[in-house]
Amino acid sequence: LTTAIDRTITPLDPGRVVLALAARAGAARDRKRAEILLEQSPSPLSLGLLERGLAAEGAQPPRGSLLRTARFAAGDFRGATERWLADLPNVARGTDGMPSDPRLARVVETVRALGSDGGAGGLRAFCAALIDAGWLLEARAVAGQLGSADLDRAVELDARALSGITFLNATRRILQSIDSAMSRRRASAATAATASRTSATSAPSNPGGSANLRVEPPRTVDELLAALAPYVADVRAFRGGDADLEQTRADLVHSPRRSYAGVAEVVHPGPTLSAEDEREGLGTEGVPVQGIAAALAELGRFGIFGALGGDGPDGSVLPLLAIEQRAGKHLGVPWHGTVAWCEGADVPSRAGRAGARIAGAALHEGYWIDVDQVRNELSAWETLARTFAADPARVERALAVRGLAARAGEDGVRERTSAAALLDESDRVRLAVLRERAGPERALGAMTLDELIAVSSTHEEGHLCDRTRFLPLWSHWPRVLALLANAGFSPQHVQEDLEYRAQLTALASVADPRIALAQILDGVEGGFGATPHAAGYARLLDDLLRVLDEFVQAGEFPAVEPDRTLVHQLHRLSPEDVRRIAFELAKRKRMVAG
């Protein structure tokens, strides 16, 4: 429902959508109304609707940006900030427990100072810190309170925050217009391929009508960046910077970027140029990246813009928690790059706009992780634990599942290794993990946000290991050719194979690979229609089951019954068992170095 609503909303009709949602009761409708109201005009009504919708769904309040914004709207500035800080993952903290990003640390410091300076001075400092950190909706809530004591300064700060919000809304609107244009072109091409070529069918669909007045959305990355220039210029104007429109447009269009064999074009996301960038002629190593990356950094944002294959340009903008340089090895293969820890997506990517929930992505020389999406995964673990915690016998019944009987011979091999019907095996794998963590007074233990972030991070690092293996193309062309041949020279199948390899890396590398295994099972059973993960994970699961069958038939893993379907016994495997299977498959795929 909410995905359909997102596709329906236009920049001019959010009020009508809110009214339509209000016409009928429902938890999902309450939550969507709250999200729209938060975006349009934060208020205590948003918080009330959000909490009522979540309570009706039996869900815990979300931890992260959405609830924080709602609590700010209700005037709970310090409580909202402290709750956010308490749930901040370790990857975004310094050694003192404060946010590692100085701008976010300043937000915490200034809200705490409100206890001793609750007047106009404290509110001014707090509001300015929020804007610098990119908490724009929150800044508007504080500016509203400041208005009764210092109207002129409140109006100024509110305008600064609003200029950033306007830029983000415009970016989303422009990208949606690109999506719509792509859909129209595909529909037109499909019609042209199937319809007879008569004068009637070849005429324009709206001859002489309003379509002739439609402004064509951007078709290239240059055009997309140029279309953002007026909104970036407004942000600069309200922040006291250079607001010259033509200069801003030139800055954005000349954003440094990389091209990959003519198949993909990626605008450099920042924050600084690398040694490889310098070798590619993009500028001097260590120099801050200019253009759109610098404009987003001023707003506390991290952005990815580019184009893949014949698709139109795309982009995504995310609030930034922290950014750092990292390096390491997986399966003996080194990786390095910039890691951006983000929280939510102001502007989802095309796959996200189509309904996919994307927790991270590798790009350029690094990757980003959306902590809010990982929190959604944590909620699934917590919901499962709540459902089973009150009935230990139910846990044991679920984990006593032995699989279905399989025939002997070749038919038996196919039946044992079939993944046609998973029957909620992902939940049984999670239950096995939680039961091992049970305490004297608890039937089930708990999963942590930091563990899930580590698994998502290792998946993206797996992509960076492939970057080491395959780039630059001219130095690794035999490997590249083998990858392309294995994928049938299909770009879609290449993407699926890369997701297969990244998740296999996670399986073989993380502390408890059963977490990554549950993700694979979820992907196969639920599917990620807008991304290549589902197909890649399906092939990965098939291969894992075949390797497992070889081990089991050789007498290994005695907890697994050799004459029953293996996919329904995965919860019986220990972390070491799963890692051993994954490592064996990685060796066969020639992914292990040395």
Side-chain angles (χ1 to χ4, degrees):
L1 169 65
T2 56
T3 299
I5 290 170
D6 287 335
R7 293 176 180 176
T8 302
I9 295 175
T10 73
L12 300 179
D13 69 0
R16 292 183 64 192
V17 173
V18 169
L19 289 174
L21 290 170
R24 292 175 58 189
R29 289 170 175 268
D30 278 353
R31 179 162 184 171
K32 193 59 195 177
R33 281 172 68 194
E35 291 175 1
I36 297 172
L37 287 170
L38 281 172
E39 186 172 301
Q40 297 301 313
S41 181
S43 70
L45 175 62
S46 333
L47 178 60
L49 280 171
L50 181 63
E51 290 181 331
R52 188 176 79 179
L54 292 168
E57 294 172 345
Q60 291 186 339
R63 293 154 295 189
S65 55
L66 180 61
L67 190 60
R68 183 191 71 217
T69 304
R71 293 195 177 280
F72 263 82
D76 184 15
F77 304 153
R78 178 159 185 175
T81 306
E82 296 290 0
R83 290 182 186 212
W84 169 83
L85 178 62
D87 196 47
L88 192 66
N90 287 330
V91 290
R93 293 179 184 270
T95 55
D96 58 356
M98 290 284 279
S100 55
D101 186 300
R103 296 178 295 184
L104 291 172
R106 180 64 179 158
V107 166
V108 178
E109 292 165 358
T110 53
V111 77
R112 289 174 175 175
L114 287 178
S116 58
D117 183 9
L123 288 172
R124 283 194 297 266
F126 183 42
C127 191
L130 289 169
I131 293 171
D132 287 342
W135 288 20
L136 304 176
L137 289 170
E138 294 87 341
R140 296 199 74 196
V142 175
Q145 184 167 319
L146 176 63
S148 61
D150 186 347
L151 181 60
D152 290 341
R153 183 62 170 153
V155 169
E156 176 192 341
L157 290 168
D158 183 75
R160 285 178 57 190
L162 182 58
S163 67
I165 294 169
T166 302
F167 161 73
L168 295 172
N169 290 341
T171 304
R172 185 165 53 247
R173 184 174 65 246
I174 291 168
L175 291 170
Q176 287 171 339
S177 74
I178 295 172
D179 295 345
S180 297
M182 289 175 57
S183 296
R184 290 194 300 271
R185 287 196 293 269
R186 286 169 180 163
S188 178
T191 300
T194 57
S196 60
R197 296 184 177 275
T198 66
S199 58
T201 57
S202 62
S205 57
N206 284 310
S210 60
N212 293 334
L213 303 177
R214 182 186 293 127
V215 177
E216 273 298 308
R219 286 177 172 256
T220 66
V221 174
D222 279 358
E223 291 179 4
L224 171 58
L225 295 174
L228 299 177
Y231 307 99
V232 173
D234 285 346
V235 171
R236 290 176 173 175
F238 283 104
R239 288 175 173 252
D242 184 1
D244 181 79
L245 177 57
E246 291 308 315
Q247 182 59 52
T248 300
R249 182 176 287 113
D251 290 344
L252 298 186
V253 171
H254 289 96
S255 299
R257 66 193 75 180
R258 298 278 288 276
S259 177
Y260 296 94
V263 174
E265 179 184 8
V266 179
V267 178
H268 201 307
T272 58
L273 295 171
S274 67
E276 186 172 334
D277 293 326
E278 183 171 341
R279 289 193 294 271
E280 293 290 327
L282 297 183
T284 304
E285 179 184 1
V287 171
V289 176
Q290 298 304 305
I292 190 65
L296 291 172
E298 291 179 18
L299 291 171
R301 297 301 191 273
F302 183 80
I304 308 98
F305 291 87
L308 176 64
D311 291 341
D314 192 17
S316 182
V317 180
L318 305 98
L320 189 62
L321 287 175
I323 195 162
E324 61 176 319
Q325 296 292 318
R326 281 192 166 195
K329 281 186 177 182
H330 293 305
L331 301 175
V333 179
W335 65 271
H336 71 275
T338 301
V339 181
W341 307 107
C342 303
E343 187 174 47
D346 299 298
V347 182
S349 66
R350 181 165 294 128
R353 296 191 296 274
R357 292 190 171 187
I358 301 173
L363 52 100
H364 191 57
E365 291 183 63
Y367 63 89
W368 58 265
I369 294 293
D370 182 351
V371 171
D372 264 3
Q373 288 294 348
V374 182
R375 287 187 177 113
N376 287 334
E377 184 180 358
L378 178 61
S379 293
W381 284 82
E382 292 173 339
T383 299
L384 185 69
R386 280 199 310 274
T387 302
F388 281 83
D391 190 353
R394 186 182 176 191
V395 175
E396 296 308 315
R397 286 196 301 272
L399 296 180
V401 170
R402 302 164 51 218
L404 306 174
R407 288 174 289 181
E410 283 301 314
D411 289 339
V413 174
R414 285 193 294 271
E415 290 179 2
R416 289 195 308 270
T417 59
S418 172
L422 301 186
L423 306 178
D424 296 323
E425 178 63 17
S426 61
D427 282 347
R428 286 190 289 275
V429 170
R430 290 190 179 94
L431 278 175
V433 175
L434 295 174
R435 187 180 64 172
E436 286 183 9
R437 301 179 179 195
E441 300 179 356
R442 294 190 307 170
L444 297 172
M447 179 53 59
T448 68
L449 179 63
D450 289 310
E451 286 178 280
L452 295 178
I453 287 174
V455 174
S456 294
S457 300
T458 306
H459 174 99
E460 303 307 333
E461 289 157 11
H463 285 302
L464 298 187
C465 289
D466 271 346
R467 191 177 187 280
T468 301
R469 293 182 181 100
F470 299 124
L471 296 180
L473 298 176
W474 57 84
S475 298
H476 301 92
W477 65 265
R479 288 181 180 173
V480 174
L481 187 60
L483 177 70
L484 291 171
N486 184 63
F489 295 92
S490 162
Q492 175 67 22
H493 289 165
V494 169
Q495 293 180 63
E496 293 166 1
D497 281 354
L498 292 175
E499 296 303 336
Y500 171 123
R501 296 166 63 90
Q503 193 68 4
L504 179 55
T505 300
L507 273 174
S509 305
V510 299
D512 191 337
R514 293 173 299 177
I515 301 172
L517 178 60
Q519 293 174 341
I520 294 170
L521 293 166
D522 276 341
V524 176
E525 191 160 28
F528 305 114
T531 71
H533 292 72
Y537 285 10
R539 290 203 290 271
L540 174 56
L541 180 58
D542 287 342
D543 289 349
L544 289 169
L545 292 173
R546 281 192 285 270
V547 174
L548 172 59
D549 190 50
E550 293 175 16
F551 279 125
V552 170
Q553 298 305 317
E556 303 281 350
F557 308 141
V560 177
E561 298 189 29
D563 57 351
R564 291 181 173 271
T565 51
L566 300 177
V567 76
H568 304 123
Q569 301 185 74
L570 294 175
H571 59 282
R572 297 180 166 216
L573 296 172
S574 70
E576 294 73 23
D577 294 340
V578 177
R579 184 178 296 105
R580 183 179 172 191
I581 296 164
F583 191 78
E584 175 61 28
L585 179 57
K587 285 196 299 184
R588 297 182 187 187
K589 293 292 181 178
R590 299 183 180 179
M591 292 171 56
V592 181

Coordinates of all heavy atoms in Angstrom, one line a residue, residues 17 25 47 85 87 144 173 176 214 342 373 378 416 424 436 458 467 510:
V17 N -3.6 13.4 -0.6 CA -3.3 12.0 -0.2 C -3.5 11.8 1.3 O -4.1 10.8 1.7 CB -1.8 11.7 -0.6 CG1 -1.4 10.3 0.0 CG2 -1.6 11.7 -2.1
A25 N -9.8 4.1 8.4 CA -8.9 3.8 9.5 C -7.9 2.7 9.1 O -8.2 1.9 8.2 CB -9.7 3.3 10.7
L47 N 3.6 12.7 15.4 CA 4.0 11.8 16.4 C 2.9 10.9 16.9 O 3.1 9.7 17.0 CB 4.7 12.5 17.6 CG 5.2 11.6 18.7 CD1 6.3 10.7 18.2 CD2 5.8 12.5 19.9
L85 N 21.0 9.2 20.3 CA 22.4 8.9 20.6 C 22.6 7.5 21.2 O 23.5 6.8 21.0 CB 22.9 10.0 21.6 CG 24.4 9.8 22.1 CD1 25.4 9.8 21.0 CD2 24.7 10.8 23.2
D87 N 21.0 4.9 20.6 CA 20.9 3.8 19.6 C 21.9 4.0 18.4 O 21.8 3.3 17.4 CB 19.5 3.8 19.0 CG 19.2 2.5 18.2 OD1 19.5 1.4 18.8 OD2 18.7 2.6 17.1
G144 N 10.7 27.3 15.2 CA 9.4 27.7 15.6 C 9.3 28.1 17.0 O 8.6 29.0 17.3
R173 N 11.9 14.9 -6.8 CA 10.9 15.1 -7.9 C 11.5 15.0 -9.3 O 10.9 14.4 -10.2 CB 10.3 16.6 -7.7 CG 9.2 16.9 -8.7 CD 8.6 18.3 -8.3 NE 9.5 19.3 -8.5 CZ 10.0 20.1 -7.5 NH1 9.7 19.9 -6.2 NH2 10.8 21.1 -7.8
Q176 N 12.0 11.3 -10.0 CA 10.7 10.7 -10.3 C 10.2 11.0 -11.7 O 9.7 10.1 -12.4 CB 9.7 11.1 -9.3 CG 9.9 10.5 -7.9 CD 8.9 11.1 -6.8 OE1 8.4 12.2 -7.0 NE2 8.7 10.4 -5.7
R214 N 5.0 19.5 -22.0 CA 5.7 18.9 -21.0 C 7.2 19.2 -21.1 O 7.8 19.1 -22.2 CB 5.5 17.4 -21.1 CG 6.2 16.6 -20.0 CD 6.1 15.1 -20.2 NE 4.7 14.7 -20.1 CZ 4.1 14.0 -21.0 NH1 4.7 13.7 -22.1 NH2 2.8 13.6 -20.8
C342 N 25.4 6.0 6.9 CA 24.3 6.9 6.7 C 23.1 6.5 7.5 O 23.1 5.4 8.1 CB 23.9 7.0 5.2 SG 25.3 7.5 4.1
Q373 N 17.9 1.2 7.5 CA 17.5 0.0 6.9 C 18.0 -1.3 7.7 O 17.3 -2.3 7.8 CB 18.0 -0.1 5.4 CG 17.3 0.8 4.5 CD 15.8 0.5 4.3 OE1 15.3 -0.6 4.7 NE2 15.0 1.4 3.7
L378 N 16.9 -5.5 12.1 CA 16.9 -5.8 13.6 C 15.5 -6.0 14.1 O 15.2 -6.8 14.9 CB 17.6 -4.7 14.3 CG 17.7 -4.8 15.8 CD1 18.4 -6.1 16.2 CD2 18.4 -3.6 16.4
R416 N 16.7 -33.8 -2.3 CA 17.4 -33.3 -1.1 C 18.0 -31.9 -1.3 O 18.0 -31.1 -0.3 CB 18.6 -34.3 -0.9 CG 18.3 -35.6 -0.3 CD 19.5 -36.3 0.2 NE 20.7 -36.3 -0.7 CZ 20.9 -37.3 -1.5 NH1 20.1 -38.3 -1.7 NH2 22.0 -37.2 -2.3
D424 N 9.6 -21.0 5.5 CA 10.1 -20.1 6.6 C 11.4 -20.6 7.3 O 11.6 -20.4 8.5 CB 9.0 -20.0 7.7 CG 7.7 -19.3 7.2 OD1 7.9 -18.4 6.4 OD2 6.6 -19.7 7.6
E436 N 20.6 -20.1 21.1 CA 22.0 -20.2 21.7 C 22.4 -19.1 22.6 O 23.3 -19.2 23.4 CB 23.0 -20.3 20.5 CG 23.0 -21.6 19.8 CD 24.0 -21.7 18.7 OE1 24.9 -20.7 18.6 OE2 24.0 -22.6 17.9
T458 N 30.3 -6.4 5.5 CA 31.2 -7.4 4.9 C 30.7 -7.8 3.5 O 31.5 -8.1 2.6 CB 31.2 -8.7 5.8 OG1 31.6 -8.3 7.1 CG2 32.2 -9.7 5.2
R467 N 36.4 -5.8 -6.8 CA 37.0 -4.6 -7.5 C 38.5 -4.9 -7.6 O 39.1 -4.6 -8.6 CB 36.7 -3.4 -6.6 CG 37.0 -2.1 -7.3 CD 36.6 -0.9 -6.5 NE 36.8 0.3 -7.2 CZ 38.0 1.0 -7.4 NH1 39.0 0.4 -6.8 NH2 38.0 2.1 -8.1
V510 N 32.1 -13.6 8.2 CA 31.5 -12.9 9.4 C 31.6 -13.8 10.6 O 31.7 -15.0 10.5 CB 30.1 -12.4 9.2 CG1 30.1 -11.4 8.0 CG2 29.2 -13.5 8.9

